[in-house]
Amino acid sequence: MTDSYLYAAARTPFGRFSGALAGIRPDDLAALAISGTLAKVPALDPGEIGDIVWGNANGAGEDNRNVGRMAGLLAGLPTSVPATTVNRLCGSSLDAAIIASRAIETGDAEIVLTGGVESMTRAPWVLPKPARAFPAADLTAVSTTLGWRLVNERMPKEWTVSLGEANEQLAERFGIARERQDEFAARSHNLADDAWNAGFYDDLVVPVVVDGKGGTLARDEGIRPGSTVRKLAGLAPVFRADGVITAGNASPLSDGASAVLLGSRAAAARIGADPLARIAGRGVFALDPQMFGFAPVEAANRALKRAGISWSDVCAVELNEAFAVQSLACVDAWEIDPATVNAKGGAIALGHPLGASGGRLLGTLAHRLRESGGRWGVAAICIGVGQALAVVLENVTEKSR
């Protein structure tokens, strides 16, 4: 067995639903993230990549038919570079990195390109195929953008509530008030704006040409600088008339792609770069589907145990902010310093294109560790239908030594 390392990461800016990236196919977004990552390691012959493991949650439209393979071809990689696409919903690209790290550690591959993509704007409506020819009744088109669709009637009703209703239940269970959620959301927007203004994301984000006239999207589109609790308090609840979850304290529908290059230590010479971080621990956990927002708690605890460290060793956490309430529930359960969590902003501000978010977390975490010189970091993400994933990174850059 050997260790696996993170060598490079890049992503597109994340666009708002029906925003600047609406006109760009998901396979093209994925190809841009791949090209941006490989541009950081120009000495690497792309033909040396042993596999592409790609994440995608919907796969019902232009991201069909193994979008990882399509993205590799569109990015100009040799046809000899194989690819697969994995689907663990919101955790797809983190799962892709986990799968790739295992392949490297067992010696099945030396260099693996991972990542994920989602265009929630371009996710199509689908029609169920009729049980018999020439049906007389109407058929209903179903959106594939987010959440349950074409639900099996045998599923218990409490499992198939909307993602928002599931998090309203979390707010009740843990007593997390609306004001606290709005504070967390405002913090996310302002930290994201600060990070962009300080240049933190300049090395992580590849601008995207969005029209034929040279217009580009260079920055995440959903950030609202100057957000305050007072402003967010004016938004109406979305899922319950008397609820606490609004469009302001939940992640938005988004478009975007991310990519992460992993390899063994021995592959450094071929990659032409030193690694940024070691994959030190992995964790997966599942519970009742409607409790998905709380699942990262145990996933991260398991990843830490496998890395041989505890929360007291961790200096940076990247937790996907699907909803403010579930993020707060996780942070409370871990009993960690909230300042270590999403210090460069989170998904409430940056966006959450389902299949791409895990790769974003890993790339951001590795760069936070490099910037601070801290040794240990955790990336964690909740996943619809009651699951979560987590990865522990160990900083191996010169600054950490």
Side-chain angles (χ1 to χ4, degrees):
M1 295 286 287
T2 186
D3 286 327
S4 56
Y5 294 85
L6 188 156
Y7 279 86
R11 65 176 177 89
T12 70
F14 287 174
R16 291 179 182 172
F17 186 82
S18 297
L21 300 183
I24 303 178
R25 290 173 56 109
D27 46 3
D28 285 325
L29 287 173
L32 289 168
I34 289 173
S35 297
T37 299
L38 295 182
K40 294 186 172 188
V41 286
L44 173 64
D45 175 359
E48 295 275 357
I49 296 171
D51 203 359
I52 297 172
V53 186
W54 204 254
N56 179 243
N58 283 331
E62 296 158 334
D63 47 5
N64 75 88
R65 201 164 172 79
N66 189 0
V67 67
R69 173 64 169 169
M70 303 305 165
L73 295 173
L74 289 167
L77 271 62
T79 58
S80 59
V81 177
T84 188
T85 299
V86 299
N87 182 351
R88 204 191 286 254
L89 300 181
C90 304
S92 295
S93 53
L94 195 58
D95 206 14
I98 288 173
I99 292 167
S101 68
R102 290 179 182 136
I104 292 165
E105 290 167 17
T106 59
D108 285 345
E110 287 282 329
I111 302 168
V112 183
L113 181 64
T114 79
V117 66
E118 212 75 53
S119 175
M120 300 179 80
T121 298
R122 298 175 73 91
W125 293 283
V126 297
L127 287 173
K129 187 172 286 187
R132 60 183 179 81
F134 312 116
D138 294 336
L139 291 176
T140 301
V142 178
S143 173
T144 64
T145 298
L146 179 70
W148 292 90
R149 77 289 304 252
L150 304 176
V151 180
N152 191 314
E153 62 182 17
R154 294 174 53 236
M155 282 284 184
K157 298 300 182 186
E158 63 269 23
W159 288 358
T160 61
V161 296
S162 71
L163 304 182
E165 170 56 27
N167 278 271
E168 288 284 2
Q169 293 177 22
L170 271 184
E172 287 182 333
R173 176 168 179 168
F174 294 106
I176 299 174
R178 162 77 182 269
E179 183 176 11
R180 192 174 172 214
Q181 295 175 51
D182 288 347
E183 288 174 352
F184 185 86
R187 172 185 182 270
S188 183
H189 283 283
N190 291 318
L191 288 177
D193 184 51
D194 290 345
W196 269 105
N197 292 339
F200 175 81
Y201 285 113
D202 292 351
D203 187 46
L204 273 169
V205 177
V206 180
V208 177
V209 177
V210 296
D211 59 40
K213 302 176 182 178
T216 61
L217 180 67
R219 176 172 164 145
D220 299 304
E221 198 175 15
I223 301 171
R224 299 180 186 276
S227 289
T228 65
V229 174
R230 184 175 180 180
K231 291 178 182 177
L232 292 172
L235 298 175
V238 175
F239 302 100
R240 294 183 184 179
D242 60 347
V244 294
I245 296 174
T246 71
N249 58 34
S251 61
L253 305 178
S254 310
D255 307 328
S258 64
V260 178
L261 183 70
L262 301 182
S264 66
R265 174 68 83 169
R270 281 181 285 162
I271 293 172
D274 292 325
L276 300 177
R278 179 176 70 92
I279 308 294
R282 299 170 289 248
V284 59
F285 185 66
L287 36 60
D288 289 349
Q290 72 273 25
M291 287 290 292
F292 73 93
F294 196 61
V297 172
E298 184 57 23
N301 289 341
R302 292 183 178 191
L304 288 169
K305 183 177 181 180
R306 286 164 185 155
I309 62 171
S310 66
W311 279 111
S312 63
D313 299 303
V314 174
C315 65
V317 178
E318 285 294 314
L319 172 63
N320 194 57
E321 299 168 355
F323 294 83
V325 63
Q326 61 83 206
S327 300
L328 289 165
C330 292
V331 173
D332 290 350
W334 289 325
E335 298 182 347
I336 57 174
D337 181 358
T340 65
V341 180
N342 301 350
K344 307 299 181 181
I348 288 174
L350 303 173
H352 178 24
L354 308 177
S357 288
R360 177 190 72 79
L361 295 174
L362 276 184
T364 301
L365 182 62
H367 282 70
R368 282 183 61 192
L369 292 173
R370 183 180 68 175
E371 178 186 69
S372 70
R375 182 176 179 184
W376 300 103
V378 174
I381 192 165
C382 67
I383 301 166
V385 203
Q387 298 192 82
L389 291 171
V391 168
V392 174
L393 290 184
E394 181 186 18
N395 185 3
V396 296
T397 63
E398 288 290 340
K399 195 172 181 180
S400 71
R401 298 170 190 170

